[in-house]
Amino acid sequence: MPQALAGDMPTLSADELAWLATLDDVESRLVFTEQRGNRSRYRVEHGPFDDDSLGGLPSENWTLLVQDVEKHLPELRRYLLEASFIPDWRIDDLMVSCAAPGGGVGPHRDSYDVFLCQGTGRREWRIAPSNAKLMSVDSGGLSLLEPFIDHHPVTASNADVLYLPPGIAHWGIATDACITYSIGMRAPQLSEFAACGGLSPGKPDTETGQNGDRFYRDPDLTVTEAEPGLISHQAIERARSCLAAANVPDDRNLAQRFGCAVTEVKAWIAPEAPTAEE
């Protein structure tokens, strides 16, 4: 979607993102692209990082990724508002990446929807057909796919947005230094809410993760379900259809169990319990 973003969106500089990556309560990682003959290999390091290691990065072939940026810098929630047609509970976080020329995380598939919003610089996106049979490979601690050829790659520049549905193989490579803002959806695994009360996952037509688990999907999602704070009746019915016919609780119990699963926060976000003195 060329020029889909408004011109007044908040931005982060490479230095500001690097500062976030030095903090203990921020989830960050560095992915290095290493050329070995005609093939690329990827290697990942996890933060927090120190100033010296970030300041000493080479001039090309790396990308720094920081998760949940909107939780640390609330003004960046503006990006999530651009996806206001998606129910709140389905939106996970805003990941921001800074890449040097040649940087990327390699060819891979995600089990969730994502909107890739291009900030400064440019990034080339290679996309494989939905029915492409690509084998998984291990590369420096990352589970990736075999490299593939896209005869019509897309180059995203400032304010462009690329939407990728679940399961579509893609491969982004920075053509020059760039910043990308990724609005990631939350796609709970069926086992997450099936486990609430000993329910049994059924066998719907769903995407599977690397461990074979199935993910919630809503290809029939309508904009009427995007009311603030709402988990719609349609979402509960989709969850019901994903479960085995036997031992499915009544609507109220299923809604409660599903709601608990899909609103669970990451451990570092959970507030600390008050002390006796408080």
Side-chain angles (χ1 to χ4, degrees):
M1 295 175 279
Q3 299 297 292
L5 287 178
D8 59 348
M9 298 297 290
T11 60
L12 279 181
S13 68
D15 288 342
E16 290 168 328
L17 192 67
W19 168 74
L20 279 176
T22 66
L23 304 180
D24 291 339
D25 63 344
V26 175
E27 183 181 352
S28 60
R29 56 199 162 112
L30 268 168
V31 178
F32 296 91
T33 304
E34 301 171 338
Q35 299 298 139
R36 297 188 178 182
N38 294 326
R39 297 182 66 85
S40 297
R41 180 172 171 80
Y42 300 85
R43 176 173 56 86
V44 63
E45 295 180 4
H46 295 276
F49 301 97
D50 58 60
D51 292 333
D52 290 340
S53 61
L54 293 177
L57 288 171
S59 60
E60 59 184 11
N61 295 334
W62 58 264
T63 183
L64 173 67
L65 306 101
V66 178
Q67 302 286 155
D68 297 289
V69 171
E70 87 290 352
K71 299 177 183 69
H72 300 285
L73 303 175
E75 63 270 24
L76 272 293
R77 286 188 60 84
R78 169 71 184 280
Y79 283 89
L80 305 189
L81 295 178
E82 296 295 303
S84 60
F85 49 89
I86 304 292
D88 291 345
W89 70 268
R90 282 283 273 121
I91 299 178
D92 189 15
D93 77 330
L94 180 72
M95 181 184 75
V96 182
S97 64
C98 171
V105 300
H108 65 284
R109 286 191 178 98
D110 294 318
S111 299
Y112 47 82
D113 311 74
V114 62
F115 292 91
L116 299 159
C117 308
Q118 190 60 37
T120 56
R122 295 177 300 167
R123 190 185 292 268
E124 179 186 274
W125 291 100
R126 304 173 187 178
I127 302 171
S130 58
N131 60 350
K133 304 296 183 182
L134 299 171
M135 292 184 61
S136 296
V137 296
D138 179 75
S139 182
L142 295 169
S143 181
L144 301 175
L145 299 173
E146 291 179 325
F148 59 86
I149 296 174
D150 182 354
H151 295 289
H152 303 285
V154 175
T155 297
S157 55
N158 187 249
D160 293 346
V161 177
L162 176 66
Y163 166 68
L164 285 167
I168 299 298
H170 53 286
W171 185 2
I173 303 172
T175 56
D176 47 42
C178 69
I179 302 282
T180 305
Y181 305 84
S182 303
I183 305 172
M185 302 295 109
R186 183 170 190 153
Q189 292 178 309
L190 302 190
S191 60
E192 292 179 41
F193 61 91
C196 297
L199 305 179
S200 301
K203 296 181 179 180
D205 180 19
T206 55
E207 297 293 336
T208 59
Q210 295 168 7
N211 61 359
D213 200 356
R214 292 181 296 278
F215 291 83
Y216 172 92
R217 292 181 64 198
D218 49 10
D220 58 338
L221 181 69
T222 64
V223 71
T224 58
E225 297 179 56
E227 296 182 25
L230 174 70
I231 298 178
S232 69
H233 175 72
Q234 295 97 312
I236 302 303
E237 287 305 304
R238 293 186 197 101
R240 180 182 297 280
S241 69
C242 291
L243 298 171
N247 197 30
V248 177
D250 58 44
D251 287 352
R252 182 178 178 83
N253 285 333
L254 178 59
Q256 183 178 29
R257 294 172 183 180
F258 183 71
C260 287
V262 302
T263 59
E264 184 177 4
V265 296
K266 297 178 180 179
W268 68 264
I269 300 175
E272 295 180 0
T275 64
E277 291 76 16
E278 295 174 323

